[in-house]
Amino acid sequence: MRKIKILSLGLISLAMVLWFNLHSSTPSISTVASSPPKTIRYFERTLPQGIAHILLIPANSKFLVTPALSQKVATVEEFAQKHRAVAILNAGFFDPANQKTTSYVILQRKLVADPKENDRLVNNPNLQSYLSQIFNRTEFRRYSCGQNIRYDIALHSASQPAGCQLVDAIGAGPSLLPELTLEKEGFVDNANKRDALGSKQPNARTAVGITRDGSVVLVMVAQKLSVPANGISLPALANFMKTLGADKAMNLDGGSSSSLYYNGKTFYGKVDLEGNPIKRPVKSVLLVQEN
């Protein structure tokens, strides 16, 4: 037993000497905590007449924001299942009667939806004087600029920046920021008392914005379930996008089309007289996918 105790003490002493020599001869290395990965942030804001569901997609993150188009109208959940998207926001205008787009859609440098091919739009006698404005409305764009991805909001006729190629685009409108362009884009004609979007009335609304650092903000303002006739007006939506840090922003299809999918859950914007959410299929969306 005594030999075992002496041997054990010897081993402990040897271990202590080795530990001391190792730590005295090796310089200490300070560890720097790595910055948290850039990921999507979801949050809500309670507004006077609605609830805003907001997604912030950081610039230079692993996520891409791109449009998608369905042959037939589909719910945002169906878009999510097909494209395996993290998030989906309804986007461009369309005609529910013929399910044809009234907004331009460009995917991977190819025009896949052209409002000029929508007969009900082109041949509508009430819209003849507005067609040039309708065909030049605001769109959300994704550019490839060398090795970088860049987002922008601009009129359909706007040229692309030098050194960049237009990859994707989806139209809707009007522009909300830096200014609200209801008349310029043919949504409002005060002389003829035209207001195609009921712009001053509260309603469920959808919008996309771009912050100064290039982050993308997706917003869906839903009506409160207890009071159907509420939501947000377009001037108020423009001001709200500014509070979220957007320098540029545009309105997307609203009303019954307003819908946002994120992380397996769907939020609908419009409610019926009983306070139940209206689930309306849509023609086009904005996808948020991992790159």
Side-chain angles (χ1 to χ4, degrees):
M1 288 294 291
R2 181 167 180 167
K3 287 183 179 181
I4 293 173
K5 287 182 179 180
I6 293 173
L7 180 60
S8 298
L9 289 172
L11 290 172
I12 292 171
S13 299
L14 178 61
M16 290 179 68
V17 170
L18 289 173
W19 183 90
F20 178 82
N21 288 338
L22 177 64
H23 283 262
S24 62
S25 61
T26 305
S28 61
I29 300 173
S30 59
T31 57
V32 179
S34 60
S35 58
K38 293 184 177 182
T39 189
I40 298 174
R41 180 188 170 204
Y42 167 80
F43 56 102
E44 296 179 12
R45 293 271 180 88
T46 301
L47 305 178
Q49 292 184 287
I51 299 173
H53 301 274
I54 304 151
L55 286 176
L56 177 64
I57 297 89
N60 304 315
S61 67
K62 64 180 179 178
F63 299 100
L64 281 181
V65 183
T66 60
L69 182 74
S70 179
Q71 199 71 22
K72 295 182 179 181
V73 292
T75 64
V76 288
E77 294 103 322
E78 290 170 333
F79 273 102
Q81 291 170 2
K82 180 178 179 180
H83 297 278
R84 297 183 180 179
V86 178
I88 304 274
L89 184 70
N90 72 282
F93 297 111
F94 66 100
D95 186 338
N98 61 12
Q99 297 192 9
K100 289 186 177 181
T101 183
T102 57
S103 299
Y104 287 103
V105 182
I106 296 173
L107 297 178
Q108 295 297 315
R109 302 179 175 87
K110 182 181 179 181
L111 180 64
V112 296
D114 188 343
K116 292 180 180 179
E117 296 178 357
N118 189 331
D119 294 338
R120 279 175 49 86
L121 171 63
V122 175
N123 298 323
N124 187 333
N126 298 322
L127 297 177
Q128 291 302 305
S129 60
Y130 305 107
L131 286 180
S132 61
Q133 294 164 293
I134 291 173
F135 296 146
N136 190 33
R137 283 176 170 166
T138 305
E139 56 191 27
F140 176 81
R141 294 176 167 186
R142 181 170 70 97
Y143 296 117
S144 174
C145 307
Q147 299 297 316
N148 300 317
I149 296 296
R150 176 178 167 184
Y151 299 102
D152 196 13
I153 291 172
L155 288 173
H156 179 70
S157 62
S159 58
Q160 55 200 39
C164 296
Q165 289 187 320
L166 179 62
V167 180
D168 304 314
I170 188 159
S175 168
L176 298 172
L177 297 173
E179 62 177 333
L180 184 58
T181 56
L182 282 161
E183 292 186 67
K184 183 178 180 179
E185 298 188 43
F187 291 102
V188 167
D189 181 355
N190 290 319
N192 292 301
K193 297 182 180 180
R194 167 182 162 81
D195 188 350
L197 299 176
S199 61
K200 295 180 181 179
Q201 302 302 316
N203 202 350
R205 308 278 184 183
T206 311
V208 57
I210 304 172
T211 66
R212 184 169 300 179
D213 72 350
S215 298
V216 176
V217 184
L218 304 180
V219 175
M220 194 278 287
V221 178
Q223 295 178 325
K224 293 182 178 178
L225 297 181
S226 56
V227 188
N230 59 41
I232 193 169
S233 68
L234 285 183
L237 181 60
N239 290 331
F240 181 64
M241 296 300 289
K242 191 180 295 184
T243 69
L244 297 175
D247 284 346
K248 293 184 176 183
M250 66 178 278
N251 178 62
L252 300 170
D253 190 12
S256 299
S257 295
S258 302
S259 47
L260 171 69
Y261 168 92
Y262 175 62
N263 202 23
K265 186 175 181 180
T266 305
F267 306 95
Y268 290 97
K270 192 82 171 175
V271 297
D272 60 22
L273 294 176
E274 285 75 39
N276 301 310
I278 298 174
K279 302 178 181 182
R280 181 189 188 183
V282 296
K283 183 71 175 178
S284 60
V285 297
L286 285 173
L287 304 173
V288 182
Q289 297 172 301
E290 287 195 32
N291 189 7

